[in-house]
Amino acid sequence: QLTEVPKDMLVAPPALDCLSLRNNRLEKLPSSIGSLVRLETLIVADNHISTLPRLAALVSLTRLDVGRNDIAELPAHILGLRSLLHLDVSWNRLARFDVAAVKQATLPLQTLDLSHNEIADLPDVCRRLPDLERLALDYNRFERIPAHLADAPKLVSLTFDHNPLVQHVIDVLAPFGRLIRRKPHFKLHLSSSRQLDDDEDASDAAR
């Protein structure tokens, strides 16, 4: 298992489009990763990384997986990557996910996994992520589901399991009634949140 990325590993052919460093013991990534301008997929899950280098030059990057690390804050430039469609930041230490710091009016993300973090609020996501289709917020610190998520134009899957909700299930589902009627295949998962019965699975409950 690698504890650091060998320098010669990143002396890469210019056409390199996928790099996986999954399941090592890396504590940081070298800044030279930011020079792999044709990279489309970067996977560094299952390491001990706490901060990310500047990746703003990775204009072709469509998938970034930094799950299962020790990241407490996601740099704004990551969210600003113009081609990024799939972002996995699950199993980290994020206390917030702030799109307000990003300069672009809208971002192209289609799938976003923020499960297993410490997030309690998610402002401004619908307006800034109009193409978002799948959102995972399981195992965080939400007491309420952000009602604005019901206005997400392309959202088809929202998982919210194991959050300390203080809302009654009816109040939770109410904002999503219009969305569920508009999208019969929309899936909302709320099982095992604090205010739901232990055996209740609220997936598709409002149909």
Side-chain angles (χ1 to χ4, degrees):
Q1 288 189 322
L2 297 175
T3 56
E4 62 180 21
V5 180
K7 293 181 180 179
D8 59 351
M9 179 180 291
L10 297 180
V11 181
L16 181 69
D17 60 7
C18 180
L19 175 61
S20 177
L21 296 167
R22 180 191 295 274
N23 195 24
N24 281 288
R25 300 174 62 188
L26 301 174
E27 295 184 359
K28 62 180 182 179
L29 297 175
S31 58
S32 53
I33 280 185
S35 65
L36 302 177
V37 295
R38 296 193 181 183
L39 203 62
E40 297 178 5
T41 298
L42 176 58
I43 302 171
V44 293
D46 295 283
N47 279 285
H48 305 291
I49 298 166
S50 58
T51 59
L52 295 172
R54 187 161 182 81
L55 303 176
L58 302 187
V59 295
S60 299
L61 196 69
T62 61
R63 179 189 176 196
L64 176 61
D65 184 349
V66 295
R68 293 184 181 272
N69 278 287
D70 296 314
I71 298 169
E73 184 172 356
L74 198 65
H77 77 267
I78 298 291
L79 297 178
L81 290 169
R82 69 186 189 192
S83 299
L84 190 62
L85 302 178
H86 311 287
L87 177 60
D88 187 340
V89 203
S90 61
W91 294 90
N92 276 283
R93 296 188 297 109
L94 294 180
R96 63 176 186 168
F97 182 81
D98 188 7
V99 296
V102 183
K103 293 181 179 179
Q104 294 94 319
T106 60
L107 308 171
L109 277 179
Q110 295 177 358
T111 63
L112 176 59
D113 191 341
L114 296 173
S115 61
H116 295 269
N117 277 286
E118 301 170 11
I119 301 169
D121 192 18
L122 200 66
D124 213 22
V125 166
C126 292
R127 184 172 64 85
R128 304 298 295 276
L129 303 178
D131 295 322
L132 191 63
E133 298 176 359
R134 300 182 182 278
L135 176 61
L137 297 172
D138 318 72
Y139 291 91
N140 275 284
R141 296 185 178 181
F142 290 92
E143 294 186 351
R144 297 179 181 276
I145 296 183
H148 67 84
L149 292 178
D151 297 322
K154 296 185 180 181
L155 194 65
V156 295
S157 176
L158 171 61
T159 56
F160 217 86
D161 301 324
H162 297 278
N163 276 280
L165 294 177
V166 298
Q167 292 171 287
H168 188 276
V169 63
I170 299 301
D171 296 326
V172 170
L173 293 174
F176 292 88
R178 184 175 67 257
L179 178 60
I180 293 171
R181 287 191 295 271
R182 190 173 73 243
K183 297 179 180 178
H185 300 295
F186 176 76
K187 294 185 180 297
L188 173 63
H189 293 268
L190 293 167
S191 61
S192 299
S193 292
R194 179 184 295 170
Q195 289 298 313
L196 302 180
D197 294 335
D198 290 342
D199 297 326
E200 180 178 7
D201 186 350
S203 173
D204 305 326
R207 291 186 187 178

